[in-house]
């Protein structure tokens, strides 16, 4: 091979590996529908809080989009739409039958979706007969639920999108599909090409050296973590728990749900409310650190360039109280017996790092929500950005269920008595 600068190299092209085709061909285990059947039978639901709407996916039953508002006199007004209902009596029966028929000749192609830059296989479940859509002559809303394999997930809702008017796509992360080789996460194969310079040519082409220097310059982080901002010795003992878990050796899809501690509930609540025990999580390139009553950080760790950290918001009790006078700091849930309980609290964190797009400090509304789970110490964290550098951080955990009823009129929490 000869470069534009007449530099000459001898290069060896690699052999392309065949991958896991043999394992997929020999697979005789349960179909995707059969693997998901326990999820449908458990009558479990997953939730996602966005800036205005909350999404409820009750697996094998329905998808609901709703918003709750507290009116004067403590009355709760609910605005809701069903984005789809399961039409089949047995959610796994018809897809299973179709899967078995197609598996005889091996002709069925697994659909894929681009998830954070990777074409990821998914198993679709169609839901129809939702709330009539006025924009489409009152045709019922419908949705496709896309289940994708994630070994450490807890059936979280990764995304909800309206692909066309009143037709939706919902992506669910689940470990149940990972037993099927065709649905496992695959990294795009990277094959190295080895080149050796010929006599009279430099070891590395001149243009390549220039490009590498430019890339090094671009690696300068937005804001490096200073030594004084590193966790204290009290926090250090939790460092191994705090680190987000990755899928195999791939960093593209990180766990949104992690197990936060083996402390007793009372210890954990005290540590959390004092700000010395922080929640970490996030799905994607950026991860999030939330320390109650202190700050919200967005960060990315890289072996080469270290840790890039952005302050999304810092706590000021006075600013939050001022914010809560114009916004709902508490959201209530009406029980069947007519009594009310706090379902979610919202806290304002301002004065983050200045945003390049707006020239204003970043700010975030943290929504703390009760979420029941098989694991009493699981926490789910995700970040939304409805407006440039104005964020919503959703934090859901069974731990939060134990302290929501302590919320005062400003949504501030305390250790239960």
């Amino acid at each position: 091979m000869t470069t534009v600068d007449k530099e000459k190299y001898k290069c060896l092209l690699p052999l392309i590996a065949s991958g896991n085709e043999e394992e997929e061909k020999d697979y005789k285990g349960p179909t995707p529908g059969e693997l998901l059947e326990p999820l449908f039978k458990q009558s479990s639901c997953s939730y996602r809080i966005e800036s205005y709407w909350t999404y409820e996916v009750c697996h094998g039953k329905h998808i609901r989009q709703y918003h709750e508002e507290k009116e004067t006199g403590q009355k709760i007004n609910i605005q809701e739409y069903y984005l789809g209902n399961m039409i089949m009596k047995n959610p796994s029966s018809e897809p299973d039958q179709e899967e078995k028929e197609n598996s005889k000749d091996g002709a069925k192609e697994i659909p894929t979706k681009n998830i954070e830059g990777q074409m990821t296989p998914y198993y679709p479940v169609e839901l129809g007969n939702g709330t009539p859509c006025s924009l489409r002559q009152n045709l019922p809303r419908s949705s496709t639920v896309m289940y994708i394999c994630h070994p450490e997930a807890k059936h979280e809702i990764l995304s909800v999108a309206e692909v066309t008017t009143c037709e939706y796509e919902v992506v669910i992360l689940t470990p149940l599909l990972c037993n099927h080789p065709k649905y496992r996460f695959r990294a795009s194969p990277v094959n190295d090409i080895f080149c050796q310079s010929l006599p009279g040519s430099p070891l590395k082409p001149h243009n390549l050296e220039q490009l590498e220097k430019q890339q090094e310059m671009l690696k300068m982080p937005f804001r490096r973590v200073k030594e004084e901002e590193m966790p204290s010795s009290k926090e250090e003992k939790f460092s191994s728990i705090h680190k987000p878990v990755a899928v195999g050796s791939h960093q593209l899809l990180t766990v949104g749900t992690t197990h936060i501690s083996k402390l007793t509930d009372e210890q954990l609540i005290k540590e959390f409310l004092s700000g010395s025990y922080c929640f970490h999580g996030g799905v994607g390139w950026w991860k999030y650190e939330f320390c109650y009553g202190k700050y919200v950080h967005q960060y990315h760790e890289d072996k080469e360039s270290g840790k890039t950290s952005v302050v999304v918001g810092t706590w000021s009790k006075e600013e939050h109280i001022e914010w809560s006078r114009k916004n709902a700091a508490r959201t209530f849930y009406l029980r069947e017996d007519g009594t009310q309980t706090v379902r979610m609290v919202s806290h304002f964190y301002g004065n983050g790092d200045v945003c390049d797009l707006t020239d204003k400090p970043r700010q975030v509304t943290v929504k703390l929500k009760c979420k029941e789970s098989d694991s009493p110490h699981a926490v789910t964290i995700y970040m939304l950005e409805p407006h440039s550098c104005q964020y919503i951080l959703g934090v859901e955990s069974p731990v939060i269920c134990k302290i929501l009823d302590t919320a005062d009129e400003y949504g501030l929490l305390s250790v239960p008595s």
Side-chain angles (χ1 to χ4, degrees):
M1 295 181 71
T2 304
T3 69
V4 291
D5 296 324
K6 307 300 181 184
E7 302 157 319
K8 295 188 177 182
Y9 297 88
K10 179 183 179 182
C11 298
L12 301 174
L13 298 177
L15 294 172
I16 306 301
S18 61
N20 300 320
E21 291 177 9
E22 288 302 317
E23 184 187 2
E24 293 179 4
K25 205 176 288 183
D26 296 339
Y27 178 74
K28 305 293 181 187
T31 64
E34 289 170 342
L35 290 170
L36 290 172
E37 198 168 345
L39 184 61
F40 295 130
K41 287 183 175 178
Q42 284 173 5
S43 300
S44 62
C45 301
S46 301
Y47 294 87
R48 181 178 179 89
I49 306 168
E50 298 206 351
S51 53
Y52 185 82
W53 296 107
T54 296
Y55 294 92
E56 173 187 76
V57 177
C58 291
H59 303 282
K61 290 182 172 57
H62 67 254
I63 302 172
R64 184 168 70 112
Q65 176 187 34
Y66 65 93
H67 175 72
E68 294 179 355
E69 279 185 359
K70 186 181 74 171
E71 296 180 348
T72 51
Q74 304 295 314
K75 183 184 176 184
I76 296 175
N77 181 35
I78 299 180
Q79 180 185 4
E80 67 178 5
Y81 300 93
Y82 281 84
L83 308 187
N85 291 283
M86 184 60 77
I87 299 167
M88 299 174 288
K89 288 183 180 178
N90 179 359
S92 62
S93 60
E94 288 185 22
D96 279 1
Q97 188 61 37
E98 184 184 343
E99 175 77 13
K100 285 173 180 174
E101 289 171 5
N102 282 284
S103 63
K104 291 177 183 176
D105 56 13
K108 185 167 184 180
E109 190 170 333
I110 307 297
T112 59
K113 180 177 176 62
N114 189 326
I115 305 287
E116 298 187 7
Q118 290 290 318
M119 297 310 294
T120 306
Y122 67 86
Y123 180 73
V125 173
E126 303 293 337
L127 284 80
N129 200 30
T131 304
C133 176
S134 59
L135 298 175
R136 296 185 62 190
Q137 292 79 47
N138 282 332
L139 285 173
R141 287 170 165 81
S142 62
S143 297
T144 301
V145 183
M146 302 175 172
Y147 290 94
I148 68 173
C149 156
H150 192 304
E152 302 291 340
K154 298 286 183 182
H155 319 299
E156 294 96 337
I157 303 172
L158 180 66
S159 63
V160 180
E162 187 173 6
V163 288
T164 58
T165 304
C166 296
E167 292 185 5
Y168 306 85
E169 282 184 356
V170 181
V171 179
I172 304 286
L173 303 175
T174 177
L176 299 178
L177 279 181
C178 299
N179 289 326
H180 197 302
K182 288 188 177 180
Y183 290 89
R184 287 177 197 148
F185 175 80
R186 293 182 200 163
S188 300
V190 177
N191 298 289
D192 293 326
I193 298 175
F194 296 97
C195 294
Q196 185 177 7
S197 61
L198 294 176
S201 297
L203 288 173
K204 192 179 287 186
H206 174 72
N207 284 345
L208 178 59
E209 283 192 339
Q210 292 295 111
L211 179 63
E212 287 176 348
K213 285 179 182 177
Q214 290 173 8
Q215 287 176 335
E216 283 298 319
M217 294 295 291
L218 291 172
K219 282 183 181 178
M220 293 296 290
F222 296 111
R223 181 180 182 277
R224 285 303 190 101
V225 178
K226 298 174 185 175
E227 285 185 17
E228 60 265 29
E229 294 175 338
M230 293 300 285
S232 66
S233 57
K234 190 175 185 182
E235 292 169 300
E236 191 63 35
K237 59 183 177 181
F238 302 117
S239 61
S240 61
I241 300 167
H242 281 177
K243 290 176 184 174
V245 184
V247 186
S249 60
H250 310 297
Q251 301 292 334
L252 290 161
L253 285 173
T254 54
V255 179
T257 301
T258 54
H259 296 276
I260 53 181
S261 177
K262 292 183 180 178
L263 296 170
T264 65
D265 287 346
E266 186 179 352
Q267 284 176 313
L268 181 59
I269 288 167
K270 285 181 179 177
E271 295 271 359
F272 170 65
L273 291 177
S274 70
S276 61
Y277 188 91
C278 304
F279 287 170
H280 287 232
V283 177
W285 199 79
W286 287 109
K287 308 299 180 296
Y288 311 105
E289 179 186 38
F290 167 58
C291 299
Y292 181 89
K294 287 189 175 180
Y295 58 76
V296 177
H297 284 182
Q298 183 181 38
Y299 66 93
H300 175 72
E301 291 182 299
D302 187 271
K303 288 181 180 179
E304 293 181 10
S305 57
K307 186 174 181 180
T308 302
S309 183
V310 177
V311 177
V312 179
T314 55
W315 175 254
S316 165
K317 186 177 179 180
E318 293 73 23
E319 287 187 10
H320 166 73
I321 290 173
E322 186 64 30
W323 175 88
S324 67
R325 291 193 175 107
K326 302 172 186 176
N327 299 272
R330 291 183 296 180
T331 304
F332 293 90
Y333 172 76
L334 189 64
R335 294 193 182 104
E336 290 181 2
D337 61 4
T339 60
Q340 283 190 144
T341 183
V342 179
R343 178 178 154 270
M344 181 178 71
V345 296
S346 301
H347 294 167
F348 176 78
Y349 288 67
N351 294 312
D353 285 346
V354 174
C355 174
D356 292 337
L357 297 174
T358 63
D359 285 327
K360 294 179 181 177
R362 289 171 166 82
Q363 61 185 50
V364 58
T365 302
V366 177
K367 293 181 179 287
L368 299 168
K369 185 176 180 181
C370 169
K371 180 183 180 182
E372 299 295 343
S373 171
D374 293 336
S375 170
H377 289 168
V379 59
T380 300
I381 297 181
Y382 53 86
M383 180 84 87
L384 306 166
E385 190 176 3
H387 306 288
S388 295
C389 298
Q390 294 183 15
Y391 306 88
I392 292 170
L393 185 76
V395 182
E396 303 174 357
S397 174
V399 174
I400 294 169
C401 302
K402 303 175 191 299
I403 53 177
L404 279 181
D405 283 331
T406 69
D408 63 15
E409 60 182 307
Y410 305 117
L412 301 176
L413 303 171
S414 58
V415 178
S417 54

